[in-house]
Structures are given as structure tokens and as C-alpha cells.
Amino acid sequence: MTDTDIVYAYAVLHRTPQAAEAVADVRGVAGEPIRLVDPTDRTSQLAAAVGRVPAADFDETPLKAHLENLDRLEAMARAHHAVVAAFAGHGTAVLPLRLATVYRDEERVRQALDLRHDFFLTLLDRVTGHVELGVKIYAAPTAAPPGTDSAQAAGLGAGRAYLAGRRRQRRTAEDAWEAATRTAARLTETARALAVDRVAHRPQRSDLAGPAPGPNVSNDAYLVPTDRVDDFRARVLAAAEAQPGVHVEVTGPWAPYSFTLPAEPVL
């Protein structure tokens, strides 16, 4: 720890024996030890998980450069998530803060806890005993359109056969998209009946989603009671069965990233 360190905040949580156990073994985005900061009212069970990081890397200007470097951004995101997951894995209700939430010092963190104390406690009460599950629906054509050979066998030249194949390909993709959209509406009703809340995220672009069976039609997050996770997964996937041109993924469980609001950093 030096005078040039600043504070990186990972999450707000209940100060419990489980949280104290988790913090002993976890390291943060700069390999730093994690500690818990209390609000001014020391009788409160609220705390923030923080680590001291070098200002040379995490002050405003260098941090902006890091966030524009995809390799550094990915490494930071993984380390940030590992801290949050460590607390969640010990059974601690946790409110993940947004990536790269930094403060000048721990006193600023304490001020943020004081300012939003009741709000944080309300959110923590809400997510206690719950996890986040994701449901992604893709338009995935199940069969390739006939090739040019079959079209030529029907008496078409190579150029006309190619155009006919492209038209069939486009129709297949459109049919898959419509089927996925209908399935998304049905699955939303099924999933919402098993969850306490839903957040609809923007569908992921193919260049960000990685390998995928087709275009992402919907990308939703659900807040699900811990004891309903298996039932949620089974029923959502069952509702998607026998739907041609559709691929459904249920991801998680995760800490409730989609259902918490980040504290604004006080630099």
C-alpha cells in the first residue's frame, strides 16, 4: 500500500462470517488482497468489498486506455467477476458493482455506503436467496437450402440456380427468425412464472457473442430463487423442444449482476 494507491470497489454485501471467510483468500484485478469497508454506522451489517490498486494503472486516464484494450478489459472483467463469485460461492448475498468502479480512498467508499445505505439494504434483502439465470434464444435454421446441383437438374443455368438457392436460403433464415421470435414470447411467459424479476438485455451481435448457432433473437436475465434453479432450467428447455429453427441456452447461475444498480464512483 502506497500514497499513490486508489480504491477499486467490487461489490456491496452483508458483513457476515461467510463474507469474512471469502475475503481471506481472494485477490483482485491488480492481484491485491480484498478487504471489507464499513459505513460510518459500525452497527450496520452493510460492507463494501474493495482493494487498493495503483493509480498509475487505475486513475482516470490510464484506466480509460485499459478499457479500450480488449485483452486488458477481458482480464479485468475476469478478475472482477472472480471476486464477486468468491463471495457468492460462500453463500453471501452480493450486489456486484460495475466494472472499474474506483474511489480516491476508503473514506469516499464509506461516504457512498452512508449515502445509499437503505437503498443497498433493500436490494440485498431482495436478492438474498436468489441467483441470476440467463436465457438466450437464437434463430437457427435446421436444414441447408438445396444446392445449385438440384436446381440445375431442374433445367436452370448456373446463374439462375445460384439466385434460386440464395432466395431459398433467405426464406429459411426468415422462417427461423420468425419461429425464434414466437418461441421467445412463449418462453418469456414460462420463465417469468418461475422467476421474481426479468431484465431484457439487447440481443448480442454475432461478433460479440462468439460461436453461436445463429442470430441472437433475445437475451434475457431472470432473478430466480435458488431452490428453483433446476426446475427453471428444465421447464424453459422443455418449452423450447420441438421448435424447428430455434436454439435455446440457459446460462448461470450467476450473482445478480442484472438486478443491482452500481454506486456512482466518487473520485
Side-chain angles (χ1 to χ4, degrees), residues 106-143:
E106 291 184 0
E107 182 57 33
R108 302 291 180 95
V109 177
R110 189 168 287 111
Q111 291 172 9
L113 291 176
D114 290 344
L115 180 63
R116 307 184 74 182
H117 183 273
D118 292 345
F119 174 74
F120 283 137
L121 285 179
T122 298
L123 274 183
L124 279 168
D125 288 343
R126 182 167 177 265
V127 302
T128 296
H130 295 76
V131 294
E132 177 174 329
L133 294 176
V135 177
K136 296 181 180 181
I137 301 176
Y138 300 89
T142 56

Side-chain angles (χ1 to χ4, degrees), residues 140-151 161-176:
T142 56
T148 58
D149 290 343
S150 61
Y162 171 78
L163 292 176
R166 290 297 299 270
R167 284 195 295 270
R168 280 189 292 273
Q169 188 179 44
R170 185 169 56 251
R171 286 196 299 270
T172 300
E174 290 172 351
D175 290 345

